[in-house]
Amino acid sequence: MAGASAVPVPASHLDAARDAEPATRAANAAMAAPLPFSDVADFEAAKRGLIAPVPAGMVRTAGGTVLWNLGEYAFIDGELAPATVNPSLWRMARLNMANGLFKVTDRLYQLRGFDISNMTVIEGASGLVLIDPLTTAEVSRAALEHYFAHRPKKPVVAVIYTHSHIDHYGGVRGVVDEADVKAGKVAVIAPAGFMEAVSGENVLAGPPMMRRAQFQFGSMLPRGPRGQVDAGLGKGVARGTPGLIAPTRTIAQPVEEHTIDGVRIVFQLAPETEAPAEMHMFYPRLGVLNMAENACPLLHNFIPLRGAVARDPRIWAKYIGEAIDLYGPGTEILIGQHHWPVWGRAAAVDYLEAQRDLYKHIHDQTLRYMNKGWRPAEIAETIDLPPALAGRWSVRGYYGTVNHNVKAVYQRYLSWYDANPCNLHPLPPAPAAAKFVEYMGGAAAVIARARADFARGEFRWVAQVMKEVVYAQPDNSEARALCADALEQMGYQAESATWRNAFLYGAQELRHGVFQIPARATMGADTLAGLATDVFFDLMAIRLDPAKAAGQSMVLNWHFTDRSEKLALTLKHCTLSHRMGQWSEQAAASITTARATLDAIVLRRTTAPEAMAAGDLRIEGDASKFALLFGMLEQPAGFMFDVLTPGEGR
Ligand SMILES: [Zn+2]
């Protein structure tokens, strides 16, 4: 996931939300009918071991700003789902209200409901081993304080990041002091490839991922029966200050055992699964298996709606199978870094087998149909889970969906292109929409027919066809309103929290426009500092404006004294490329500075002339080239792009 903070949108936006249509009520009742609602084991599991709930259900800054507020979800109180919420999603929305400090077993505790993810605490011989310090410093600090209010206050001796997603490392500065890490008092442990994955997944394509994440998590939707009710993995992502402290120790072997502060931990690497760098852990003396985020009680994403490189469900299933073999016999309790535990060896193994087969089944059946020549949308419409899986709560699509995951499998193997040459070079969305609407007899005629389809409950089609009218005529308020109404009904029917959020947020933007939040850096100082210099220059390269670089060419040498790194940067063909470790004799200029200084210039905390005056930056040769180069780089703009309408210049 990505995108840690957001500005709430006024609750008055809910006033425009409509009630459930009869077709939505019928669809929700029909989907609920075969589901085992009398099985309430998860509700007992989610509450088991509760010591004390999140104080006042809230986390605030010292200044009083509310960063996390479970009170917004007070409307989630009864068993019966409102007509505007899918009944299965309502069940998960209730389960994800379980919050506080939980005792899982002797020496192992979990803080849940302080954020979307869990922080796990293991009590070692002299101090605490913390696993996954949430998304922001403020919430992880509050969670640790809550633990200390009920357990002996001991120092944190190690932090373990299970994987490279921000809800599992971003709050690290709330629970440890970087000076203690540097002094060797606190170990920071992560799977191999962690830092590369952190920069690889979220940096180069950071702005659209943040924008798309708003749709996935519904962070800017008001909470309520007609708004955001859940995010699948938890209630939502906490606001506050994310950060990063680089690992001091990396787990590199497929299986590695370490004793950390007297706690035996067997690490099992599971790369290229839910995250590019991820690992499971088994604590033999505690009988606890920690599956990180690879076996949550739901169907996860092969590609999240925020966007990512397509994940590999075949490998994912393989690592779950390996965990069953290696640790199943010794497991008494299964935990994850989201949601609640599974108690008992047989139940844990049974649960993991269902997870393994869930991912494998969707992968295998998608390929089965692909090999017959079926197209993504056709396969997605056909495949469903077999009854033996579909009847289990722990594999339902509260986060990912079978439909979207099928398309991810297709994309992974065959790309977005379905091989029909008519789809190879179509007109782009806006001009195509103008033609469609013209051929269909004009906007008024299309809207009139779509209204009749809306009355019949054909919401998918209404959204599909209204998209064309809105793209042809972005200011057509009737088309926008009808499109919003259709998306909203789809949201009310969605079992997946992320689909609901996307549909409802789409409706909100059609009705109220794009909410312009103040421009801010999409990348924090910690993330920038954590970027390898190689990736840093990739980031510079994607900001080059070719129009400004036209006719220019140059070579610049760089020497970063704080990292003992040298490189040669070449501008040619309106393209920047660089070679690490090279030093060109033909360079127009050679720049000697610290990466930290260059980071500060990029973050606009200083300027090149200021850094030169302070002696932090030295240029030999033609100093004008430095300013010339930076003048060709685009400053990152705001990321509140148009999504539901074509946007400027298109
Ligand atoms: Zn997570």
Side-chain angles (χ1 to χ4, degrees):
M1 54 86 21
S5 60
V7 177
V9 158
S12 60
H13 279 193
L14 278 180
D15 298 347
R18 295 177 52 162
D19 202 356
E21 291 288 317
T24 292
R25 291 169 194 269
N28 282 343
M31 82 76 64
L35 291 174
F37 281 94
S38 60
D39 170 6
V40 293
D42 283 339
F43 286 91
E44 287 152 27
K47 285 192 193 125
R48 183 166 166 178
L50 176 65
I51 293 172
V54 174
M58 210 183 254
V59 179
R60 300 170 193 252
T61 62
T65 306
V66 177
L67 299 175
W68 180 252
N69 184 8
L70 292 169
E72 292 174 333
Y73 295 100
F75 66 93
I76 302 177
D77 56 356
E79 269 181 54
L80 202 63
T84 52
V85 183
N86 176 290
S88 177
L89 174 58
W90 184 252
R91 173 189 169 276
M92 182 55 109
R94 292 175 63 216
L95 282 162
N96 279 337
M97 290 303 290
N99 66 85
L101 173 65
F102 294 81
K103 177 176 180 175
V104 176
T105 186
D106 283 344
R107 297 175 62 187
L108 195 146
Y109 294 78
Q110 282 193 314
L111 294 138
R112 302 185 207 133
F114 280 86
D115 190 356
I116 195 165
S117 47
N118 297 339
M119 183 160 76
T120 302
V121 184
I122 303 181
E123 298 176 346
S126 65
L128 305 177
V129 177
L130 298 187
I131 299 158
D132 290 357
L134 310 180
T135 310
T136 64
E138 293 88 343
V139 292
S140 69
R141 188 178 299 122
L144 188 59
E145 276 169 11
H146 187 53
Y147 168 86
F148 285 143
H150 300 276
R151 296 293 303 161
K153 193 159 184 174
K154 288 183 172 183
V156 174
V157 296
V159 173
I160 300 174
Y161 305 142
T162 61
H163 64 288
S164 51
H165 291 155
I166 195 168
D167 54 324
H168 301 267
Y169 67 79
V172 64
R173 290 184 185 277
V175 294
V176 294
D177 189 333
E178 190 168 20
D180 290 338
V181 175
K182 287 192 170 140
K185 290 186 204 159
V186 181
V188 179
I189 303 164
F194 175 85
M195 289 302 282
E196 293 82 351
V198 164
S199 42
E201 261 209 316
N202 299 124
V203 170
L204 295 183
M209 274 194 194
M210 289 188 75
R211 176 74 168 116
R212 295 166 61 118
Q214 293 171 348
F215 286 80
Q216 175 171 340
F217 294 103
S219 49
M220 304 219 297
L221 281 171
R223 280 43 168 158
R226 298 183 186 185
Q228 202 258 21
V229 300
D230 203 67
L233 290 176
K235 300 316 292 178
V237 183
R239 293 190 281 273
T241 316
L244 174 62
I245 296 176
T248 57
R249 187 190 293 180
T250 295
I251 304 301
Q253 297 304 315
V255 174
E256 272 187 41
E257 183 169 335
H258 295 272
T259 299
I260 297 162
D261 196 31
V263 183
R264 268 180 72 199
I265 303 181
V266 185
F267 296 91
Q268 179 205 4
L269 283 186
E272 303 303 328
T273 53
E274 187 265 334
E278 185 143 359
M279 61 185 180
H280 311 149
M281 275 172 271
F282 179 57
Y283 318 114
R285 293 212 192 104
L286 308 179
V288 175
L289 174 60
N290 183 343
M291 289 297 287
E293 196 168 327
N294 275 338
C296 296
L298 45 66
L299 170 58
H300 212 290
N301 280 308
F302 299 173
I303 301 184
L305 301 192
R306 69 164 160 85
V309 173
R311 298 166 184 165
D312 188 346
R314 187 177 65 93
I315 297 286
W316 193 332
K318 188 180 92 102
Y319 282 117
I320 296 175
E322 188 179 277
I324 296 171
D325 282 351
L326 292 174
Y327 314 120
T331 295
E332 296 302 331
I333 305 169
L334 177 74
I335 62 169
Q337 294 302 127
H338 291 271
H339 306 106
W340 53 90
V342 180
W343 272 274
R345 185 178 311 158
V349 170
D350 178 58
Y351 171 97
L352 286 176
E353 287 175 347
Q355 284 282 313
R356 176 196 63 196
D357 297 341
L358 170 67
Y359 297 125
K360 193 71 168 31
H361 184 86
I362 297 170
H363 169 271
D364 293 354
Q365 293 305 314
T366 302
L367 273 149
R368 184 171 147 250
Y369 282 100
M370 278 162 59
N371 288 335
K372 297 172 198 239
W374 289 43
R375 296 161 192 87
E378 296 163 347
I379 307 172
E381 206 66 23
T382 300
I383 289 189
D384 211 344
L385 297 179
L389 283 177
R392 302 177 67 118
W393 290 120
S394 64
V395 304
R396 302 289 312 175
Y398 298 115
Y399 194 50
T401 62
V402 174
N403 190 292
H404 196 67
N405 283 344
V406 163
K407 292 165 185 164
V409 174
Y410 192 100
Q411 176 176 323
R412 183 173 176 88
Y413 283 91
L414 296 178
S415 86
W416 65 273
Y417 175 49
D418 68 359
N420 181 339
C422 298
N423 293 328
L424 186 54
H425 197 202
L427 291 180
K435 284 279 188 196
F436 278 132
V437 173
E438 186 196 331
Y439 276 36
M440 286 190 284
V446 183
I447 292 169
R449 292 191 66 167
R451 281 198 195 291
D453 282 334
F454 185 91
R456 280 189 287 271
E458 294 183 35
F459 308 123
R460 286 171 71 184
W461 170 250
V462 174
Q464 197 173 339
V465 75
M466 278 304 104
K467 184 205 86 178
E468 303 296 347
V469 183
V470 171
Y471 259 69
Q473 302 177 7
D475 297 326
N476 187 320
S477 55
E478 245 188 299
R480 292 177 74 114
L482 185 54
C483 191
D485 289 350
L487 289 175
E488 184 169 72
Q489 297 300 316
M490 291 166 76
Y492 294 165
Q493 291 183 27
E495 183 180 32
S496 163
T498 60
W499 277 33
R500 176 187 173 90
N501 293 337
F503 291 136
L504 296 188
Y505 192 48
Q508 178 168 298
E509 290 207 340
L510 282 167
R511 287 171 179 154
H512 304 285
V514 178
F515 187 74
Q516 289 300 334
I517 59 178
R520 61 188 166 83
T522 54
M523 192 179 0
D526 275 357
T527 311
L528 193 58
L531 283 190
T533 297
D534 198 20
V535 182
F536 181 97
F537 277 87
D538 287 340
L539 188 62
M540 278 182 69
I542 66 168
R543 291 183 180 170
L544 183 78
D545 181 346
K548 291 183 180 155
Q552 302 279 355
S553 65
M554 68 170 94
V555 176
L556 297 179
N557 286 326
W558 295 79
H559 179 198
F560 295 112
T561 49
D562 54 343
R563 301 193 183 200
S564 305
E565 288 173 326
K566 288 186 175 180
L567 68 105
L569 176 72
T570 302
L571 172 68
K572 200 171 185 180
H573 307 128
C574 301
T575 305
L576 281 173
S577 58
H578 65 276
R579 298 270 294 149
M580 296 297 297
Q582 302 285 310
W583 193 261
S584 170
E585 296 304 323
Q586 279 80 49
S590 297
I591 298 137
T592 302
T593 185
R595 246 300 296 279
T597 303
L598 189 58
D599 288 2
I601 293 171
V602 169
L603 292 167
R604 297 181 154 192
R605 289 174 179 178
T606 186
T607 63
E610 281 169 8
M612 287 170 81
D616 294 333
L617 184 118
R618 206 173 69 238
I619 303 178
E620 287 159 45
D622 184 355
S624 72
K625 295 290 189 199
F626 183 92
L628 183 66
L629 175 70
F630 272 78
M632 296 173 192
L633 302 183
E634 227 167 40
Q635 281 306 317
F639 58 91
M640 295 303 286
F641 329 110
D642 289 298
V643 173
L644 279 294
T645 56
E648 269 174 57
R650 279 178 277 168

